[in-house]
Amino acid sequence: LKDIIDRARVTVVMFDENQILTTEQFWESQILEKYRNQAKAENNHIALYKQLRMQVDSATMDWIDSFTKERCLKKIPDTFGGYDIKVFDKPELLDVEIQKRAKESDSMLSRVIATYDWEYSSNHKPEDRLMRYWEVMIGKWHKPWNRELESELTRKEKRAIKGLAWAEQPQTINEVGSTFTIQGFDLNYAGVILGPSVKYRNGKVIFDPSESCNEKAIRNRTLSDGTKQKFGEILIQHEVRVLMTRGVNGMYIYACDPELRKALLEAAK
């Protein structure tokens, strides 16, 4: 950013702290504040509070903000035909609902997405010989992670999906997306699986790095003063926000943590 500002006549930066997902993207507060103050001094700092992408009323947006920013679980508001939030007590039921939506012409871009709480590697196959793919597994329900089914496509099918985003590829209805394939992309309906890293304890939503498989979020970050620090908790919080703001028309939720699942089902009554 410094190089761009030094070389450009005018620099316009749109910055959302809640979209930072990995340690290398994490800005130290004093560096961030320097650029903020620079923009404010030139009367060029504009705060954006409204979003126009999701077809959502203010009460529902407040519910999503409370969960993903304040770690607070409020009662899910009744929208009466507006944005659709449903909570499921089984991942199979959420999956079936997303499959139904994806078959409808006005909601074909509906997919299941999840927190990165199950192992995945793009470089090698699972060590367990019985596993064909890296998968999201919850009880008896399981589904391959994103990019796992592409290798089984014919040359013709691969040509047909070339240049398409993950969610636009037809085979991905049988996969589970992550922030690595869905950030910056809109879905009609998002089926969000909150893995073991998202918990509910003593009336608060908890983000637990020890349950995450996302090395880019939970590893140490070396700061400018040479010290090492972990930002896993806040980066998982950001990950959840990205997942919970993908659905333009609605969001379906399943939580692996029993206490969170119970609290969500109660909030949906």
Side-chain angles (χ1 to χ4, degrees):
L1 180 59
K2 181 182 182 301
D3 288 345
I4 291 168
I5 291 170
D6 288 346
R7 285 160 178 75
R9 200 167 289 168
V10 177
T11 307
V12 180
V13 180
M14 289 186 70
F15 180 68
D16 182 357
E17 287 175 81
N18 295 288
Q19 294 274 337
I20 292 172
L21 300 175
T22 64
T23 52
E24 62 262 31
Q25 294 173 343
F26 202 92
W27 283 40
E28 293 176 53
S29 56
Q30 73 274 16
I31 299 171
L32 183 56
E33 205 55 32
K34 174 192 157 193
Y35 287 114
R36 274 211 187 105
N37 290 336
Q38 190 177 325
K40 285 175 181 175
E42 295 169 14
N43 202 27
N44 283 332
H45 184 266
I46 302 165
L48 304 175
Y49 295 106
K50 295 194 174 172
Q51 66 82 36
L52 304 173
R53 193 174 53 77
M54 296 164 68
Q55 303 300 306
V56 62
D57 59 284
S58 58
T60 306
M61 198 66 230
D62 176 68
W63 185 86
I64 295 169
D65 284 344
S66 296
F67 191 100
T68 61
K69 288 183 175 180
E70 297 160 25
R71 309 185 184 200
C72 174
L73 177 51
K74 296 181 178 177
K75 179 170 171 37
I76 297 172
D78 293 319
T79 54
F80 300 107
Y83 192 85
D84 191 19
I85 294 183
K86 288 182 184 173
V87 179
F88 294 84
D89 61 358
K90 289 185 172 69
E92 293 91 340
L93 298 177
L94 177 145
D95 193 13
V96 165
E97 201 66 28
I98 289 293
Q99 297 268 355
K100 274 188 206 167
R101 287 288 186 185
K103 287 185 175 114
E104 296 166 7
S105 59
D106 60 348
S107 56
M108 291 172 72
L109 288 179
S110 297
R111 294 291 185 273
V112 176
I113 54 181
T115 51
Y116 192 174
D117 296 346
W118 293 266
E119 287 187 341
Y120 173 81
S121 172
S122 58
N123 298 322
H124 58 87
K125 294 285 182 188
E127 289 179 12
D128 184 346
R129 299 274 178 101
L130 297 175
M131 287 177 64
R132 285 179 68 188
Y133 317 107
W134 295 107
E135 291 190 301
V136 173
M137 292 182 280
I138 305 166
K140 292 182 180 178
W141 181 85
H142 56 99
K143 205 165 187 174
W145 265 125
N146 35 214
R147 308 253 186 249
E148 287 293 274
L149 299 180
E150 198 175 321
S151 62
E152 298 185 357
L153 300 180
T154 64
R155 282 188 183 180
K156 185 179 179 183
E157 287 170 330
K158 285 180 180 176
R159 278 198 301 271
I161 65 168
K162 192 175 181 183
L164 294 179
W166 174 80
E168 294 174 312
Q169 300 171 20
Q171 83 280 2
T172 62
I173 189 61
N174 296 313
E175 294 180 334
V176 179
S178 66
T179 51
F180 291 96
T181 47
I182 210 66
Q183 187 180 22
F185 193 85
D186 293 347
L187 295 170
N188 298 122
Y189 290 84
V192 179
I193 293 176
L194 299 173
S197 67
V198 191
K199 296 176 164 70
Y200 192 68
R201 301 290 184 270
N202 303 316
K204 293 294 283 184
V205 179
I206 304 292
F207 301 102
D208 182 0
S210 71
E211 298 275 13
S212 176
C213 292
N214 187 355
E215 283 297 323
K216 284 180 172 284
I218 60 178
R219 66 191 174 195
N220 282 330
R221 163 74 187 269
T222 304
L223 303 180
S224 54
D225 63 1
T227 61
K228 293 183 186 297
Q229 198 171 330
K230 287 186 181 292
F231 298 99
E233 198 175 321
I234 196 163
L235 293 177
I236 292 167
Q237 180 177 336
H238 292 174
E239 178 185 5
V240 171
R241 180 167 179 81
V242 167
L243 296 175
M244 291 182 85
T245 54
R246 292 308 94 200
V248 172
N249 304 114
M251 168 173 56
Y252 302 151
I253 309 170
Y254 172 80
C256 291
D257 177 65
E259 287 186 48
L260 178 57
R261 186 163 66 250
K262 183 181 174 186
L264 282 165
L265 288 164
E266 196 61 37
K269 284 182 181 175

